[in-house]
Amino acid sequence: MLDADALWPQIMGMSDTDITEAPKAATEASATKIPKSETREFLGFVVKLIVTVLLLRTLLFAPFSIPSESMQPKLLVGDYLLVTKWNYGYSRNSLPFRLPLFSGRVFSSLPERGTVVVFKAPPSNEVDFIKRVIGVPGDRIQMKGGQLILNGAAVPKKRLPDFLVPVSENTHCYAPQFQETASDGAARCRYPRFQETLPNGKSYEVLDMMTIMKDDTEEFVVPPDHLFMMGDNRDNSQDSRFSPEFESGIGLVPVVNLVGRAWFIAFSTDGSSHWYNPISWFTAARLDRPGTGF
């Protein structure tokens, strides 16, 4: 009796091996027809990464580097810090590239006196500045003999030990009389340091080295939706004491210009590193500054 199952492959001209290998060949052919595109997957990953970074940069955090000595002793040139974006709401000034997606400020709130903030500096509203909020809407601000007067009352000012900072590529003494040689032979700056305490209990340190023009000012009244900003280095800060029209200052800062609140120092360098010398990347780092908060 003929076995139909055994006879069929012979009729079709196929061996048992051919029949066994057929499904495997079909699978391989299918894989060959629809190849997996590694390039497409990589490009998709890059796009997702860019979108994620932009969202974080827009809504949550922003990096900021300290370009001047106006916020000494709290901040030094070469400090790199993170700024939180959500504290005071959002405007085009808090968006990357100042994208004009909407007008005004959404979810807006005011910073407390004594808070260190980053903002777009008037009158151009394009350059990022970092200062301390001293006056909020309705406050009256004045300087008398280097003493801060807030709403008619002198802000307590306590003498502290001098502020000492090593001279480096990123740090230079304000004037020759403030430079000295330390016991190890290194040059350093010595500045008179004080502590101010605002009515809300916020304390911070300031430098007051000499008598300057803006140690005495007229009384400023902070209008609605504006802030009065000052640098902690009172003798080396172009802040709200200086008008933008005649004194190259920033004047009163609109709340809409706020970018965010200073959070903590992530990294700091004294400026002596060189890209061609990897060892200098470590020797230039100020290891005592990362983690310093506000």
Side-chain angles (χ1 to χ4, degrees):
M1 186 174 179
L2 292 174
D3 186 345
D5 290 336
L7 184 61
W8 179 251
Q10 298 177 20
I11 296 173
M12 298 301 296
M14 297 172 62
S15 67
D16 291 342
T17 304
D18 293 332
I19 294 174
T20 305
E21 294 295 331
K24 181 179 178 182
T27 303
E28 291 177 351
S30 175
T32 305
K33 288 179 183 177
I34 310 175
K36 220 172 183 183
S37 175
E38 294 183 1
T39 302
R40 191 179 347 165
E41 284 189 354
F42 176 74
L43 290 176
F45 168 76
V46 170
V47 169
K48 290 177 183 178
L49 180 62
I50 292 173
V51 170
T52 301
V53 169
L54 284 176
L55 284 174
L56 290 174
R57 177 73 170 77
T58 300
L59 301 176
L60 299 180
F61 309 104
F64 186 78
S65 60
I66 302 303
S68 75
E69 298 177 341
S70 69
M71 283 297 292
Q72 284 184 342
K74 183 65 177 180
L75 293 169
L76 303 178
V77 177
D79 285 346
Y80 294 83
L81 55 138
L82 282 181
V83 175
T84 56
K85 303 290 288 291
W86 63 83
N87 306 84
Y88 313 119
Y90 302 92
S91 72
R92 66 171 297 185
N93 293 303
S94 57
L95 300 178
F97 313 111
R98 299 186 68 233
L99 295 173
L101 301 183
F102 53 88
S103 61
R105 193 168 189 86
V106 296
F107 310 116
S108 181
S109 63
L110 289 174
E112 293 184 359
R113 298 187 196 98
T115 306
V116 177
V117 298
V118 173
F119 57 94
K120 297 294 183 182
S124 69
N125 300 325
E126 293 180 352
V127 181
D128 287 336
F129 269 37
I130 185 166
K131 302 289 181 190
R132 192 177 297 276
V133 177
I134 298 297
V136 296
D139 282 344
R140 294 176 289 115
I141 311 291
Q142 188 174 15
M143 295 293 292
K144 289 184 178 180
Q147 174 74 54
L148 174 62
I149 310 297
L150 176 60
N151 295 324
V155 172
K157 186 177 180 180
K158 177 185 176 183
R159 186 70 160 90
L160 297 176
D162 290 343
F163 175 61
L164 303 175
V165 57
V167 173
S168 70
E169 294 294 324
N170 280 341
T171 304
H172 306 281
C173 296
Y174 189 67
Q177 64 265 34
F178 297 110
Q179 183 166 325
E180 64 180 27
T181 303
S183 57
D184 60 359
R188 67 184 183 186
C189 308
R190 177 186 291 271
Y191 297 133
R193 177 171 49 173
F194 301 83
Q195 181 187 65
E196 288 183 348
T197 303
L198 296 173
N200 63 1
K202 178 69 174 180
S203 293
Y204 50 89
E205 297 177 1
V206 300
L207 301 183
D208 192 358
M209 297 176 278
M210 60 182 69
T211 300
I212 63 168
M213 175 180 63
K214 290 301 179 176
D215 277 350
D216 292 278
T217 69
E218 72 275 24
E219 185 177 73
F220 300 91
V221 179
V222 185
D225 299 320
H226 285 73
L227 300 166
F228 191 95
M229 308 286 197
M230 292 183 72
D232 292 346
N233 189 344
R234 293 292 166 76
D235 299 333
N236 190 16
S237 176
Q238 292 295 111
D239 48 41
S240 293
R241 295 172 293 172
F242 299 84
S243 70
E245 296 85 3
F246 308 109
E247 299 169 318
S248 301
I250 60 174
L252 294 161
V253 178
V255 173
V256 74
N257 285 29
L258 287 173
V259 172
R261 176 177 180 170
W263 186 18
F264 70 92
I265 297 172
F267 183 71
S268 184
T269 174
D270 64 13
S272 63
S273 63
H274 302 282
W275 66 267
Y276 55 82
N277 182 5
I279 295 178
S280 69
W281 304 347
F282 300 95
T283 58
R286 298 178 179 131
L287 299 179
D288 60 324
R289 297 193 62 75
T292 301
F294 296 83

